Amino acid sequence: MTIGGSSLLINPPVGSHIVYPYTDGDRVVDAVTLFAAEGLRKGDAVVLVITDPHCKKVLKNLERQHLDVNSLKKSDRLICADATELLSSFMVDNSPDETLFNNVIGPILDRAQASIAGKRDNSVRAFGEMVSLLLGGNTPAALKLEELWNEIVKARSMCLLCTYCLEGKNIASLPDSLVNAHSHFMA
């Protein structure tokens, strides 16, 4: 992650959709921790749509940074949702269904938004791993999911960080359509 990438994770612009392709699972956990911790410190709400192994590591890192994870979760300023479970709840015929997606993701984001209601300078930061789960074998579905996320980001006062696990491939292996679905690309 570059210095510019770090500042993007610390202060992501509202309305941004950031992608971070990675090959090292520890580095992506560090990136997500930075994104979440800085948001929580600033009073933002954070939604993590994340796989269980990454979730455990990120939460442990947040606790190491003296953030009260339990209180943040109780207040809905920190919401963790299982990426695999959520993804399966809106997939129809190997493709994300827009209505189901909105019905699943919308209430989660509503809870996060409600936790910061009345705080003018705060927003929702979301991290999602669902597109990475699709990338391995279903690039068209990953692209459709990115497009659905783009609609959500436009409609709400929020920013989104997503990741792609490259699993031994290089960044050039990512289809241009997926890269271009984002406002920011971190290498």
Side-chain angles (χ1 to χ4, degrees):
M1 180 177 18
T2 64
I3 299 294
S6 294
S7 71
L8 186 59
L9 294 175
I10 293 168
N11 291 307
V14 172
S16 61
H17 183 178
I18 306 159
V19 63
Y20 178 37
Y22 70 94
T23 55
D24 181 341
D26 289 335
R27 289 188 65 191
V28 79
V29 166
D30 291 344
V32 174
T33 300
L34 178 63
F35 178 77
E38 291 300 319
L40 292 167
R41 283 190 188 99
K42 292 177 181 179
D44 291 345
V46 174
V47 174
L48 302 174
V49 181
I50 191 167
T51 58
D52 187 56
H54 285 161
C55 184
K56 288 177 182 171
K57 290 177 183 177
V58 169
L59 294 179
K60 186 177 280 190
N61 286 349
L62 293 174
E63 288 171 347
R64 284 187 188 130
Q65 293 187 28
H66 308 291
L67 289 161
D68 187 346
V69 168
N70 289 330
S71 291
L72 290 164
K73 287 169 90 174
K74 285 179 187 172
S75 71
D76 282 338
R77 284 221 17 251
L78 175 61
I79 298 172
C80 298
D82 184 274
T84 305
E85 188 177 298
L86 280 186
L87 183 62
S88 69
S89 71
F90 60 77
M91 293 292 287
V92 175
D93 297 327
N94 284 327
S95 184
D97 179 89
E98 181 175 3
T99 301
L100 292 174
F101 172 79
N102 288 325
N103 289 341
V104 168
I105 299 300
I108 295 169
L109 296 174
D110 289 344
R111 286 177 32 220
Q113 190 68 47
S115 77
I116 56 169
K119 297 178 180 177
R120 187 182 58 173
D121 294 329
N122 297 108
S123 66
V124 174
R125 293 180 182 214
F127 165 70
E129 263 187 307
M130 293 184 294
V131 290
S132 188
L133 296 173
L134 289 171
L135 183 63
N138 194 342
T139 301
L143 180 58
K144 184 171 181 182
L145 184 54
E146 293 290 16
E147 291 166 352
L148 293 173
W149 272 116
N150 279 334
E151 292 302 314
I152 294 265
V153 168
K154 281 183 208 173
R156 296 175 178 259
S157 178
M158 65 174 291
C159 59
L160 174 66
L161 169 65
C162 61
T163 58
Y164 286 121
C165 179
L166 297 177
E167 295 180 343
K169 300 174 187 170
N170 63 29
I171 289 174
S173 69
L174 281 176
D176 288 341
S177 59
L178 288 176
V179 173
N180 294 333
H182 300 86
S183 62
H184 297 81
F185 182 87
M186 293 178 56

